[in-house]
Amino acid sequence: MKWNGGRPQRPLFRNVDFDEIEVSEFLPRMVAPRSPNGSNLLMEEAATDGWRNNRLPRNPVPFAIDWGDNYFCVDVDTRKIY
């Protein structure tokens, strides 16, 4: 909520397999100005759209995207990141 979307200062992360993963931007929780990559989809809208179109299971909630518009999600039950 502090940043309400935006780009991370350090966008590269390494997963447990030491693969590099890059976050393009975080999805906003509230209405925000148009994002740097041209998207203005809210976190709740991304989740609802993914669930409605069967692109996301029910538990993961998208919170960020990569440069290919793929979601980073957090599982609301286990708190794991996907």
Side-chain angles (χ1 to χ4, degrees):
M1 289 299 291
K2 181 178 179 181
W3 300 108
N4 190 37
R7 292 187 181 211
Q9 285 183 314
R10 290 197 246 168
L12 282 177
F13 300 89
R14 291 194 187 197
N15 66 12
V16 294
D17 297 323
F18 298 100
D19 295 323
E20 287 187 349
I21 299 168
E22 187 170 6
V23 173
S24 166
E25 68 180 271
F26 293 104
L27 297 172
R29 291 270 318 188
M30 308 176 272
V31 175
R34 198 162 185 76
S35 68
N37 77 351
S39 167
N40 60 352
L41 194 63
L42 297 175
M43 186 185 298
E44 290 84 0
E45 293 169 331
T48 302
D49 182 59
W51 296 332
R52 182 180 29 237
N53 295 313
N54 294 319
R55 289 191 312 239
L56 289 175
R58 280 287 174 184
N59 286 348
V61 175
F63 67 90
I65 58 173
D66 68 9
W67 291 103
D69 288 334
N70 300 299
Y71 291 130
F72 291 94
C73 299
V74 62
D75 187 301
V76 295
D77 292 332
T78 66
R79 298 181 185 232
K80 289 185 178 181
I81 305 288
Y82 299 98

